[in-house]
Amino acid sequence: MTPYKAPLDNVQFLMNDVFAFPELYVDNGDHEADPEIVRAILEGAAKFSEQVIAPLNASGDLEGCKFDNGVVTTPKGFKESYKQFIDDGWSGLSAPLDLGGQGLPESLSLIVSEMLATANPAWTMYTGLSHGAIATLEVHGSAQQKETYLQKLVEGEWTGTMCLTEPHCGTDLGLIKSKAEPQADGSYTITGTKIFISAGEHDMSENIVHLVLARAQGAAAGTKGLSLFIVPKLLPLSDGTPGPRNAVSCSAVEKKMGIKAAATCVMHFDGAKGFLVGQESKGLNNMFTFMNTARIITAMQGLCSGERSFQAALAYAKDRLQMRALSGAQAPELPADPIIVHPDVRKMLLTIKSITEGNRALLYFSLQQLDIAKRNPEPEQRQRAEKLLSFITPICKAFMTESGFEVTNTALQVFGGHGYIQDTGVEQLVRDCRIATIYEGTTGVQALDLLGRKILADRGETLSAFAATIHAQCLALGEHPQLGKHAQQLTRLVKLWQATALEIGSKSLQDPDEIGAASVDFLMYSGYVILGHFWLKMAATAQVKLQDEQNGNANFYSAKLKTCDFYFKRVLPRTEALLLSITSGADSMMAISVEEMSL
């Protein structure tokens, strides 16, 4: 596998030039995140990712996790690299200073996570879940719970998990059977089995803090009766140190298609001592704090697999010799030309590049809204950002993971037969990224959330506001000599975006299945349109940079303009086919009976 190289030029282009993160940090009062500190952090994260954990990616996949009578041992090098990670202070970048963190913006912490997850996605499963646990306890935990758990989680001495799924239920959490019985000392006894628990058991931290959904005694059926509990692996003593083992055990580590170095566990709570987070029967609401953070991190995984795949495919295409170019020999001194000269290979590479760089822009815009929602001093700004982030999160999660899997699979195609064998490492990338479209809510679930809850429920208000922003951009670029035709193309697609949402809503009044029938295609349509918006933004920024005669990076900015042109001509037209599918209605899939399906 080509060694991972952190894409710092692309990261800094988006942060500094396209989205103006330095100004954002000033507006939010994050004065400690000055450009020099940010640059040093990014460079340090790049070095750690490239030199420490990227070399463990292939070996971790081959070795996997070892399970022996409830004890999970991570692959060679994982425990030592995690210790270096916490010793170097990477675990608490965005956590408050009084909790042992560095108080930096969450966007910066998650951009660091992007590099880590690109270098070694399985390794980051042990650190990523703690981020959500910290966010949940910060918002919903009691003062005592914060004092007991937060600093340990922030500093990385302890790690966190999210325990939702059970053998009989995944998305439909209302079917959860895990029970919580109140005890005289204010604690609860938790009983039940949870499956697919990432980092549920491992040897990298001294304690594991499980956040568990369970139904308290006498609570209502369905999701309304669920409560959230802290269930630590080792019960903390009065001085905060880990004490006796709780009645929590791991009975198996799943044998999986990918991310084999990440321990995906079956967890049993056999009368374990748990502590209520917030109020009874408010568990799902509290857990959404965790889930929303997790969905952004999962969306990032689609970007990460695309980035690593592009680096590998580009290096291979420049080196692999096969046939001569149709236009004549491009490397006459060699027995054949590098495959990068062939149009189809060039198309595959540019598809990977344009979608991956577009996904990065979508992610960074989302991280901007996350920062504003949490840190901006103006309540109206926070509320606006929170609403926009809620709207865009299902698009991020589903579109970025679906397109990330597509382009990773495309990278394997660039390698041909060599991509299918283990030695090149590309087949591992395909296996590792496949899960991202499934966990933290499948693509279908995200699509229903977008169309049903985020668009139709507010009568298209947030969609209209976002569309207005794109319309204003297109209007400003309408006469641009290079980007004007793209702006006109995008204007048409945005109008259809809004009109189609209204059409689906109208049809659903007569047949609710119309929403489910259209939702996934509608979400993908939304993703392509939004990437078009950000490609225009990146291209316009690059054009300005090119006009600066003092600029010494002309090739970088020229490539942005040419990749934008490719996206609009070769990728964005996918929306036309999606539109036909969206508007074809539910009949073609619902008219056939269950019995007829097998005939």
Side-chain angles (χ1 to χ4, degrees):
M1 168 67 75
T2 304
Y4 170 60
K5 181 70 176 173
L8 287 176
D9 284 349
N10 279 298
V11 169
Q12 292 173 332
F13 170 65
L14 289 177
M15 291 187 74
N16 299 331
D17 301 323
V18 177
F19 292 118
F21 273 73
E23 288 84 352
L24 169 74
Y25 293 157
V26 171
D27 290 344
N28 288 347
D30 290 316
H31 301 293
E32 67 281 0
D34 67 67
E36 289 302 316
I37 288 177
V38 170
R39 184 181 301 109
I41 288 172
L42 294 176
E43 290 174 353
K47 184 177 179 181
F48 182 85
S49 300
E50 294 165 358
Q51 298 180 10
V52 179
I53 63 171
L56 301 174
N57 191 41
S59 61
D61 177 67
L62 290 172
E63 182 181 346
C65 292
K66 294 181 174 64
F67 178 80
D68 182 18
N69 194 30
V71 176
V72 176
T73 305
T74 53
K76 183 179 179 181
F78 271 49
K79 186 175 182 179
E80 294 78 9
S81 58
Y82 180 73
K83 184 177 187 306
Q84 183 177 339
F85 175 78
I86 61 173
D87 287 348
D88 290 350
W90 291 111
S91 64
L93 281 180
S94 61
L97 295 172
D98 59 357
L99 293 175
Q102 298 180 42
L104 292 164
E106 190 159 6
S107 60
L108 181 58
S109 175
L110 289 172
I111 290 169
V112 166
S113 295
E114 176 202 336
M115 298 185 208
L116 300 173
T118 309
N120 193 327
W123 188 93
T124 55
M125 295 298 293
Y126 297 96
T127 62
L129 275 297
S130 295
H131 194 99
I134 291 166
T136 303
L137 293 179
E138 274 189 301
V139 176
H140 304 292
S142 67
Q144 183 179 1
Q145 289 168 351
K146 291 176 182 179
E147 182 180 354
T148 302
Y149 296 100
L150 275 181
Q151 187 162 346
K152 297 287 189 180
L153 287 167
V154 165
E155 293 178 348
E157 293 182 39
W158 298 357
T159 57
T161 75
M162 175 171 62
C163 298
L164 282 73
T165 306
E166 299 186 359
H168 59 282
C169 72
T171 301
D172 191 355
L173 295 173
L175 299 176
I176 280 178
K177 294 180 179 178
S178 293
K179 296 179 181 179
E181 296 184 12
Q183 303 299 302
D185 63 357
S187 68
Y188 289 73
T189 297
I190 310 298
T191 304
T193 297
K194 301 287 184 176
I195 64 170
F196 304 156
I197 307 307
S198 298
E201 178 63 42
H202 59 82
D203 60 350
M204 290 169 64
S205 64
E206 67 175 7
N207 200 5
I208 302 172
V209 181
H210 303 286
L211 292 185
V212 183
L213 274 183
R215 196 178 310 280
Q217 194 174 46
T223 57
K224 291 182 179 180
L226 296 177
S227 300
L228 182 63
F229 300 89
I230 299 171
V231 186
K233 171 184 171 180
L234 303 176
L235 292 163
L237 299 174
S238 58
D239 63 357
T241 58
R245 178 76 185 237
N246 205 350
V248 180
S249 63
C250 173
S251 65
V253 172
E254 302 288 0
K255 294 178 173 61
K256 311 186 296 292
M257 175 180 176
I259 54 170
K260 294 183 177 182
T264 304
C265 302
V266 178
M267 302 299 299
H268 298 284
F269 299 87
D270 299 311
K273 184 178 283 290
F275 307 94
L276 180 68
V277 178
Q279 299 176 0
E280 278 194 10
S281 300
K282 299 292 184 182
L284 194 59
N285 177 65
N286 296 346
M287 184 61 89
F288 266 114
T289 303
F290 198 136
M291 292 171 68
N292 288 336
T293 301
R295 284 172 176 171
I296 292 292
I297 293 173
T298 305
M300 183 192 298
Q301 292 175 4
L303 161 64
C304 295
S305 59
E307 175 63 38
R308 192 75 191 271
S309 298
F310 178 70
Q311 292 187 20
L314 177 63
Y316 184 80
K318 290 193 289 186
D319 184 64
R320 175 70 167 169
L321 304 180
Q322 290 285 281
M323 304 183 295
R324 291 295 184 188
L326 296 175
S327 56
Q330 300 297 301
E333 74 283 4
L334 298 174
D337 288 328
I339 63 173
I340 198 170
V341 307
H342 303 307
D344 184 59
V345 174
R346 195 70 68 90
K347 182 184 76 173
M348 288 190 285
L349 290 170
L350 281 168
T351 298
I352 303 170
K353 180 179 174 65
S354 65
I355 289 177
T356 298
E357 292 185 13
N359 277 341
R360 182 175 287 111
L362 171 55
L363 175 69
Y364 285 27
F365 174 78
S366 303
L367 298 184
Q368 245 191 353
Q369 305 314 308
L370 184 63
D371 274 353
I372 295 169
K374 288 191 172 184
R375 293 177 176 256
N376 194 276
E378 298 296 330
E380 289 184 7
Q381 293 272 23
R382 293 198 302 272
Q383 187 177 13
R384 187 180 302 113
E386 193 171 315
K387 193 169 186 180
L388 183 52
L389 183 63
S390 178
F391 166 75
I392 211 166
T393 292
I395 300 173
C396 285
K397 197 282 175 185
F399 181 85
M400 289 175 64
T401 57
E402 289 285 351
S403 61
F405 177 68
E406 176 204 334
V407 299
T408 304
N409 208 33
T410 300
L412 189 149
Q413 189 73 14
V414 172
F415 276 77
H418 290 281
Y420 197 70
I421 63 175
Q422 196 173 69
D423 293 350
T424 60
V426 186
E427 59 84 32
Q428 182 191 341
L429 296 177
V430 175
R431 289 187 288 104
D432 283 351
C433 77
R434 184 62 183 88
I435 185 59
T437 65
I438 299 171
Y439 59 14
E440 304 306 337
T442 64
T443 299
V445 168
Q446 303 299 326
L448 286 173
D449 180 40
L450 172 67
L451 196 49
R453 295 178 182 173
K454 305 299 168 57
I455 294 179
L456 299 181
D458 80 346
R459 301 188 179 186
E461 180 183 326
T462 310
L463 171 61
S464 295
F466 195 79
T469 300
I470 303 178
H471 277 304
Q473 175 198 42
C474 292
L475 185 63
L477 294 172
E479 303 301 321
H480 193 284
Q482 286 182 274
L483 303 177
K485 61 183 181 298
H486 299 328
Q488 293 162 21
Q489 178 185 357
L490 190 59
T491 295
R492 173 179 167 273
L493 293 175
V494 171
K495 288 178 180 177
L496 288 170
W497 190 25
Q498 293 177 271
T500 303
L502 289 173
E503 182 180 342
I504 296 168
S506 177
K507 287 182 177 180
S508 71
L509 296 176
Q510 302 299 319
D511 182 4
D513 278 338
E514 290 288 339
I515 295 176
S519 58
V520 170
D521 289 334
F522 181 86
L523 183 145
M524 295 303 290
Y525 183 103
S526 304
Y528 287 120
V529 167
I530 291 172
L531 256 61
H533 164 54
F534 288 127
W535 263 116
L536 276 185
K537 192 173 180 67
M538 287 188 285
T541 304
Q543 181 68 52
V544 171
K545 289 289 186 180
L546 276 173
Q547 293 169 353
D548 181 0
E549 295 181 0
Q550 303 301 313
N551 198 304
N553 206 5
N555 287 341
F556 177 86
Y557 299 117
S558 176
K560 288 285 177 272
L561 287 165
K562 292 173 182 175
T563 308
C564 174
D565 191 58
F566 175 88
Y567 181 83
F568 272 83
K569 290 178 178 177
R570 288 283 182 163
V571 179
L572 192 56
R574 296 179 181 186
T575 53
E576 305 293 348
L578 286 168
L579 190 63
L580 290 173
S581 179
I582 292 166
T583 56
S584 68
D587 288 350
S588 62
M589 58 187 76
M590 303 307 292
I592 186 168
S593 68
V594 174
E595 291 75 18
E596 290 172 318
M597 288 285 252
S598 61
L599 299 178

